[in-house]
Amino acid sequence: MKAFLDRFDSRAQIALLALLALYFLVWPVWRAQFPMEIAQNEGWNAYHADAAMGGGALYPSPDTLVVNNYPPLSFYALGLLGRVFGDPLYVGRVLSLLATLGLGALIGKVVLQLGGGRAAAAIAGLWFVATMARSYNRFVGMNDPQLAGQFVMVAALAWFLARDRAGKSAEPAILLMVAAGFWKHNIIAIPATVLLWLLIRDWRRALRPIAVGVAAAVFGLAVCVVVYHDVFLANLLTPRPSRIMRAISGIGRSQWILPALAIWAIWAWAERKTFAARFTGLHIGIAFAVYLAQWTGEAILDNAQFDLVIATAIGLGVAFDRAAATAFARRFGLDAARAVVVLILVVRLLATARIEPFLIIADPAYRAEFYANAQATRQEAARVAAIPGPVACDYKVVCRMAGKPFVYDDFRAEMIVATGASHGLDERGLMRQHGLTYFQNDPRSGIEALHRALVGKP
């Protein structure tokens, strides 16, 4: 055992997690170059980026089958970047990949700010990147503003901690958090943690940063209403059904981070009176509550959990650094405790039947399928372009590639039906009512056709 621990030191632990992060990134990086739709959000976000650059209404009328329930900043940023670098669809994918890597670096920085060492910072950041690329890869390298918004929010957290340590005001960091909220509005845990922490520490001094944050958010919403009129709020507050049981079942979707949460909890209890334990405990607790609250809504996806993944990564890094405080480390030694922590993380990362990264590396025939499906997607777009009038596609990227206007949003139609606002019509009936031609896409136009697993369907 001693010989193993001597070899499996912090450098080996970091190298192993880095290798796994690189391995799992193979899948989202490789697929990003192809035109097949990775997820339904992709075409939706690209269409709205087009609208922000003058290609239509960014916030459509409620009587259409299109909705935009996101704040505006990401669409303008994506549209402007698209003018410089090309199609916003691919720009958004690259931005998502860069944001994932950037989040890993920022998480490491926050671990350092909370008193962790460089090895702990590297472990936390690499675990986050590997976990995202392995378990949440629908969003990593997908054209969606979530991860870029999370990057801005964690940057604001790091800025707050730096300013707080220097005895400076929290207001600039709070304003950056507000800006992140106008990039993506469901990133709640960090600002809630910071404001609540300030209140707990000194409620009188907390009143000013809270007032500044609230005033900035209200001002931003007022500007949006002035610019986009009442349709802005109608879009942003699009009704959707909610169920408590959905949140309860959603607890199971935290399985990918539960070992890391358990590791943090063991340490946090041992040092529960320290600043780092109290701050990370507040952050993780709020993030978990926010995740469950959001998950009650129908059609909410795993991005609602990203606040919790980030909070867990930060807590994990601090726990790794201070593992000496645990009963296990006192009995078996600090080196053994840290080695066990990393081995637990590695085992959970490897516990998957998905084999796409391996096939991309090892199987030329599998790689060739991507090029074949890309050609099939382009051919399908040509067929859609030849259809007269507005068309509703299963895959919005195909309709957009065909040059068709954005006239059908599956989420919007599903919510109209689910809330009873369709007056008995189903989705196809709504298409007919709005004069749309439905086009059933070839499955090869979606990336799901290339999912692979050792057993069963992914």
Side-chain angles (χ1 to χ4, degrees), residues 226-259:
V226 169
V227 173
Y228 307 112
H229 311 298
D230 58 346
V231 294
F232 171 75
L233 293 178
N235 278 260
L236 199 66
L237 301 176
T238 298
R240 69 172 84 207
S242 61
R243 294 181 291 113
I244 295 296
M245 285 304 299
R246 191 175 191 273
I248 294 173
S249 65
I251 294 174
R253 298 193 67 79
S254 62
Q255 60 175 296
W256 300 295
I257 62 171
L258 277 179

Side-chain angles (χ1 to χ4, degrees), residues 61-378:
S61 170
D63 60 4
T64 69
L65 292 181
V66 177
V67 70
N68 180 4
N69 58 341
Y70 285 10
L73 284 186
S74 69
F75 303 119
Y76 288 102
L78 187 60
L80 289 170
L81 289 171
R83 287 187 171 181
V84 177
F85 297 107
D87 190 342
L89 176 70
Y90 297 99
V91 172
R93 291 176 176 180
V94 172
L95 193 62
S96 173
L97 288 167
L98 293 176
T100 303
L101 298 176
L103 278 164
L106 283 174
I107 285 166
K109 180 176 178 61
V110 173
V111 170
L112 291 172
Q113 291 174 312
L114 293 176
R118 289 185 294 176
I123 292 293
L126 288 169
W127 175 81
F128 172 81
V129 173
T131 297
M132 292 297 297
R134 181 262 195 226
S135 302
Y136 303 93
N137 57 53
R138 175 179 183 176
F139 281 87
V140 176
M142 189 261 280
N143 177 32
D144 184 88
Q146 186 72 45
L147 286 169
Q150 300 278 178
F151 175 84
V152 177
M153 192 65 82
V154 179
L157 173 61
W159 194 16
F160 162 76
L161 290 172
R163 291 182 64 85
D164 192 59
R165 184 174 184 179
K168 297 180 180 179
S169 67
E171 285 87 333
I174 297 295
L175 290 175
L176 184 56
M177 293 177 193
V178 173
F182 280 92
W183 186 285
K184 189 67 167 63
H185 60 309
N186 67 337
I187 310 173
I188 300 169
I190 285 175
T193 299
V194 167
L195 294 178
L196 188 54
W197 179 260
L198 291 173
L199 280 170
I200 293 170
R201 192 174 63 184
D202 186 340
W203 69 267
R204 290 182 179 86
R205 293 183 62 186
L207 294 179
R208 180 175 173 179
I210 291 174
V212 168
V214 170
V218 171
F219 176 76
L221 289 170
V223 169
C224 289
V225 171
V226 169
V227 173
Y228 307 112
H229 311 298
D230 58 346
V231 294
F232 171 75
L233 293 178
N235 278 260
L236 199 66
L237 301 176
T238 298
R240 69 172 84 207
S242 61
R243 294 181 291 113
I244 295 296
M245 285 304 299
R246 191 175 191 273
I248 294 173
S249 65
I251 294 174
R253 298 193 67 79
S254 62
Q255 60 175 296
W256 300 295
I257 62 171
L258 277 179
L261 273 173
I263 290 165
W264 164 80
I266 291 168
W267 160 77
W269 179 253
E271 291 202 319
R272 54 190 176 276
K273 294 183 179 181
T274 64
F275 162 72
R278 292 169 62 209
F279 188 85
T280 56
L282 184 64
H283 188 190
I284 289 173
I286 290 175
F288 203 93
V290 167
Y291 162 58
L292 292 181
Q294 291 188 47
W295 200 256
T296 61
E298 293 294 342
I300 295 295
L301 303 174
D302 282 332
N303 57 325
Q305 197 178 117
F306 291 174
D307 273 352
L308 179 58
V309 181
I310 291 166
T312 301
I314 293 170
L316 171 68
V318 181
F320 178 88
D321 185 78
R322 302 188 181 185
T326 63
F328 185 94
R330 288 195 297 271
R331 180 173 181 180
F332 296 102
L334 177 60
D335 291 340
R338 288 178 172 173
V340 168
V341 164
V342 174
L343 288 174
I344 290 171
L345 300 176
V346 167
V347 168
R348 186 62 192 93
L349 285 167
L350 292 176
T352 176
R354 298 286 292 273
I355 56 173
E356 295 94 347
F358 173 78
L359 292 177
I360 290 169
I361 295 169
D363 189 353
Y366 179 65
R367 293 196 298 271
E369 288 186 57
F370 285 80
Y371 294 97
N373 286 15
Q375 182 61 24
T377 303
R378 296 185 186 99

Side-chain angles (χ1 to χ4, degrees), residues 5-25:
L5 292 177
D6 288 341
R7 294 181 180 179
F8 195 55
D9 59 9
S10 60
R11 288 175 296 181
Q13 294 160 10
I14 291 168
L16 179 56
L17 281 176
L19 185 63
L20 286 174
L22 287 171
Y23 170 75
F24 288 118
L25 280 169

